[in-house]
Structures are given as C-alpha cells and as structure tokens.
Amino acid sequence: MLSTWSPVPSSLHPLVPPYPHLPIPSSLHHLISPSPYLSIAPSLHPLISPSLHYTDKSMGCLLVLMLMATMLTMTETVPTPTPSRAPLDARGCHIAQFKSLSPQELQAFKRAKDAFEETLLLKNGSCSSRLFPRTWDLKQLQVWERPVALEAELALTLKVLETVVDSALRAILDQPLRTLHHIHSKLRACVPVNPTAGSGPQSRLHRWLHRLQEATKKESRTCLEASVTFNLFRLLTRDLKCVASRDQCA
C-alpha cells in the first residue's frame, strides 16, 4: 500500500541501521535514502521496522548487498544477442556492374560456345544426366544463398574450361576465361565465411552444392564440357544478373 510522501524517522526506516557504529558508504546513500516518489505507508512501519534488529556489522553489510542486487535486477536488462547476417555491402560485395555484360564480352562467349558445340558433335558422346537441369533457378533460393550457389557454379565452369586440351579451343577461350576470372574474384566477397551454416542437409542449396561437387567424380570430361558450355549463357545472362540484382530478383 503506497501513500504520499511523509518524512519517516530514521528509527522506523527499514533500510537505515539503528546503530551509529555501522556507517553507510556515501555511494549508497541514493539507494537507501527516502524517495520523494515512493514511500511506505505508516501502517506498514510496525510490520517492517520492529523486525529488523541488527546484531553486528555482518548483518548490515548483508542487507546492503541484498538491496544493491535487487536494485540492479529491477533497473538493468541484460542484452540478448540476436543472430543476423551481415549485409552484402558490409562484406565488400559490389557486383551490381554485372547485371549486364557488354556486347563484346557476350560475343566472345558466343564464339567459344559455338566452337565447343561443333567439337562435342564430332565426339558424339552421350551423358547420363544433366548437370544443370532446367529447374535450376536461383530465384528459388534465399538472397544470401544465391551468391553461394553461383560461386560454386562459376568455380566448376572455370575448372572445366581451364583444363581444355584442344589448342584451338584454348585460344578461343582466352578472353572468356579472363572475364569469368574477374567475375569470380568479385563474387567471392559476396559469399559468407560459412556458406552452409544456415542451411540444413535437406535444403535446396545443400543439394545443389552436393550435385556440383559430385559431378567431377561421376561425369566424364566430355559430359562436363558439354554441361558447362550449354549452361554458359544462362550463367551469364540469368544467374549472374539475379545475384547482382539481389532482393530485386524475384
């Protein structure tokens, strides 16, 4: 029960020890002095003050410590950390320039693709599966997952094209490979330190990454070359544009 402020005699104040030999530190005066906003009703004084009989300094110190702990608990809140992902710009991710490539760059990729297709037709090889199926669409992933998938897609493309044996194809690939390396170097800044930390083993991102990792073990060189060649323009004109557009890609 609360009442308006009225002076409380020190002999009745429940927080002031009656013994003068137990001094109260000046730093604690604001904790035990009467507050002009809150006071204890006179009717409760007999319920409080008569029961406090200090027998020694230890009891007084104990009460002061209890008071301090109570005040800290009531007035302070413990901050609770919340998990968050750093924005792409905060990690130095700047790939908006790749929303569209120049006509000269696209023409260089077209020449390389046409040359590869002629070579693959001559080899007349058959592949058991499509490494990049038509259902492969980065829009199905969360925004932060898209650079992870694109980086893996681009890394495999570079690995396959850099090991081409045909000297004529290697000459045609010179300019496209330089462009892909430049894109890859910028894209790495967009990939989190632990790219799969927020994805479970059954997530779409995890399945896609596993598919690319297993491709080099299961597919022949001819099938790998065919897969990355036929996927090249989708990588450059759709997947790269989607990652560069960030949350605007929907």
Side-chain angles (χ1 to χ4, degrees), residues 16-25 54 56-62 64:
V16 179
Y19 297 102
H21 64 273
L22 182 60
I24 301 299
Y54 296 90
D56 52 26
K57 294 183 179 180
S58 299
M59 181 60 72
C61 292
L62 178 60
V64 171

Side-chain angles (χ1 to χ4, degrees), residues 165-207:
V165 178
D166 192 317
S167 58
L169 290 177
R170 289 181 62 87
I172 297 175
L173 284 172
D174 183 63
Q175 179 59 42
L177 282 175
R178 283 204 298 267
T179 302
L180 291 177
H181 273 294
H182 176 63
I183 297 172
H184 192 223
S185 65
K186 298 296 183 181
L187 184 61
R188 284 178 176 175
C190 307
V191 179
V193 177
N194 297 315
T196 58
S199 301
Q202 301 303 320
S203 66
R204 182 178 282 106
L205 174 63
H206 191 276
R207 295 197 304 270

Side-chain angles (χ1 to χ4, degrees), residues 8-240:
V8 181
S10 61
S11 61
L12 295 179
H13 200 288
L15 301 178
V16 179
Y19 297 102
H21 64 273
L22 182 60
I24 301 299
S26 59
S27 60
L28 299 179
H29 285 172
H30 69 287
L31 296 177
I32 64 174
S33 60
S35 168
Y37 303 103
L38 178 66
S39 64
I40 301 175
S43 60
L44 297 180
H45 292 168
L47 300 178
I48 300 176
S49 58
S51 63
L52 297 178
H53 299 289
Y54 296 90
T55 57
D56 52 26
K57 294 183 179 180
S58 299
M59 181 60 72
C61 292
L62 178 60
L63 289 176
V64 171
L65 292 175
M66 291 174 62
L67 173 63
M68 294 176 62
T70 302
M71 295 296 292
L72 289 174
T73 302
M74 295 175 60
T75 58
E76 294 185 1
T77 57
V78 180
T80 303
T82 55
S84 61
R85 293 191 175 273
L88 296 181
D89 287 337
R91 296 199 299 263
C93 175
H94 305 289
I95 58 171
Q97 58 183 308
F98 300 123
K99 288 182 180 180
S100 61
L101 299 181
S102 68
Q104 294 79 9
E105 290 172 322
L106 291 176
Q107 184 61 32
F109 279 105
K110 186 178 184 305
R111 286 195 298 268
K113 181 176 179 294
D114 292 343
F116 260 101
E117 288 179 352
E118 291 179 6
T119 303
L120 293 173
L121 288 175
L122 293 176
K123 291 181 179 179
N124 194 25
S126 60
C127 301
S128 58
S129 61
R130 294 174 61 92
L131 180 56
F132 301 100
R134 294 180 179 179
T135 55
W136 181 285
D137 190 351
L138 296 190
K139 294 179 182 179
Q140 300 175 11
L141 302 178
Q142 299 183 48
V143 174
W144 70 266
E145 293 178 322
R146 295 169 185 173
V148 180
L150 179 60
E151 194 276 334
E153 182 182 359
L154 187 53
L156 178 60
T157 301
L158 283 169
K159 182 177 181 179
V160 173
L161 296 182
E162 285 179 334
T163 56
V164 170
V165 178
D166 192 317
S167 58
L169 290 177
R170 289 181 62 87
I172 297 175
L173 284 172
D174 183 63
Q175 179 59 42
L177 282 175
R178 283 204 298 267
T179 302
L180 291 177
H181 273 294
H182 176 63
I183 297 172
H184 192 223
S185 65
K186 298 296 183 181
L187 184 61
R188 284 178 176 175
C190 307
V191 179
V193 177
N194 297 315
T196 58
S199 301
Q202 301 303 320
S203 66
R204 182 178 282 106
L205 174 63
H206 191 276
R207 295 197 304 270
W208 286 6
L209 295 179
H210 180 73
R211 183 189 186 95
L212 297 181
Q213 291 171 357
E214 293 296 313
T216 55
K217 304 175 185 178
K218 297 180 179 180
E219 300 294 341
S220 65
R221 172 175 292 277
T222 300
C223 288
L224 287 174
E225 290 178 356
S227 294
V228 300
T229 299
F230 294 135
N231 183 65
L232 198 55
F233 271 87
R234 181 171 67 173
L235 184 156
L236 296 171
T237 60
R238 193 173 73 178
D239 294 349
L240 180 59

